[in-house]
Amino acid sequence: MNVSRKININVPKTVEKAVNGNEDFHFYVDELTSNDCMPTYVGRADEKYTFESMDDAFFEFLERKIHENGIYIRMIHATGESASEGAVFTLECGNMTKTFKTSSSEVLVFEFADFGIKVLNDDVTLGTTVDGGCHHTPFFAEFGSDRGNREFLSLDNPLNKFVMDLLLEMIVLDE
């Protein structure tokens, strides 16, 4: 399964599908810096938009950022908990909720995480937000990366395989 490839993504429709009227969806889009950090987390973005302002100016902002350092579109908000024989994860994507259960020891149980796509020009990369450490800005890391927790980003992780399939379903391509 490819983690990064060139595709002609329809960003406005993909963002709208990811949010899909869910005003409680967590942190749906962020601009990226050249090293994949997210300045909007600490309020340093040169422009800031909210769910209510997903208008032409918002999508013009995204288009500009796509051609600078890229954007990260959060498409899945996940919570996890340990179970007697493994773990159970609840994944919110747009207006639907999916449950993923596993008994695999390859899965790192986390309290919450998000998964999405980085869009830079016509490159789309599947990945997640990773905490940069205590008092550091979070950053984007692709699945299989050695940036951040290897167990969490592993391509052998069955949760990540499930998440990748969901992400691919959520992406809207230009025709």
Side-chain angles (χ1 to χ4, degrees):
M1 182 174 298
N2 288 339
V3 175
S4 182
R5 62 182 168 181
K6 292 187 181 301
I7 59 174
N8 196 10
I9 185 173
N10 185 316
V11 171
K13 288 184 179 177
T14 299
V15 170
E16 288 168 0
K17 187 174 183 179
V19 176
N20 201 19
N22 184 352
E23 294 184 33
D24 295 329
F25 192 79
H26 304 273
F27 314 112
Y28 59 92
V29 66
D30 268 307
E31 68 179 309
L32 294 172
T33 63
S34 60
N35 62 350
D36 287 339
C37 287
M38 298 177 193
T40 53
Y41 263 83
V42 291
R44 292 193 308 241
D46 61 352
E47 298 168 63
K48 204 165 191 176
Y49 292 88
T50 64
F51 179 83
E52 291 79 20
S53 61
M54 286 177 49
D55 55 12
D56 289 342
F58 170 75
F59 289 112
E60 288 169 11
F61 164 76
L62 292 187
E63 186 65 27
R64 189 175 81 251
K65 293 300 179 178
I66 285 168
H67 297 293
E68 289 176 10
N69 295 313
I71 62 171
Y72 175 61
I73 303 171
R74 286 170 180 80
M75 303 178 85
I76 298 171
H77 177 75
T79 55
E81 60 184 48
S82 295
S84 59
E85 296 182 16
V88 177
F89 298 91
T90 303
L91 300 105
E92 296 175 50
C93 5
N95 67 348
M96 65 180 163
T97 301
K98 301 270 187 178
T99 301
F100 180 82
K101 297 178 184 181
T102 183
S103 58
S104 172
S105 61
E106 296 294 315
V107 177
L108 173 69
V109 180
F110 50 80
E111 185 178 346
F112 62 89
D114 63 76
F115 302 94
I117 58 174
K118 173 185 175 180
V119 182
L120 177 59
N121 296 312
D122 59 353
D123 287 328
V124 175
T125 306
L126 306 177
T128 187
T129 298
V130 174
D131 184 7
C134 186
H135 305 298
H136 290 91
T137 304
F139 62 91
F140 166 83
E142 63 279 4
F143 292 118
S145 156
D146 60 2
R147 300 173 67 202
N149 186 305
R150 234 183 219 294
E151 186 179 13
F152 178 62
L153 296 170
S154 171
L155 290 171
D156 296 325
N157 182 328
L159 174 63
N160 289 348
K161 291 177 182 178
F162 182 77
V163 164
M164 283 189 239
D165 288 338
L166 281 177
L167 290 174
L168 293 173
E169 288 176 25
M170 300 283 292
I171 295 171
V172 179
L173 302 177
D174 274 336
E175 296 177 17

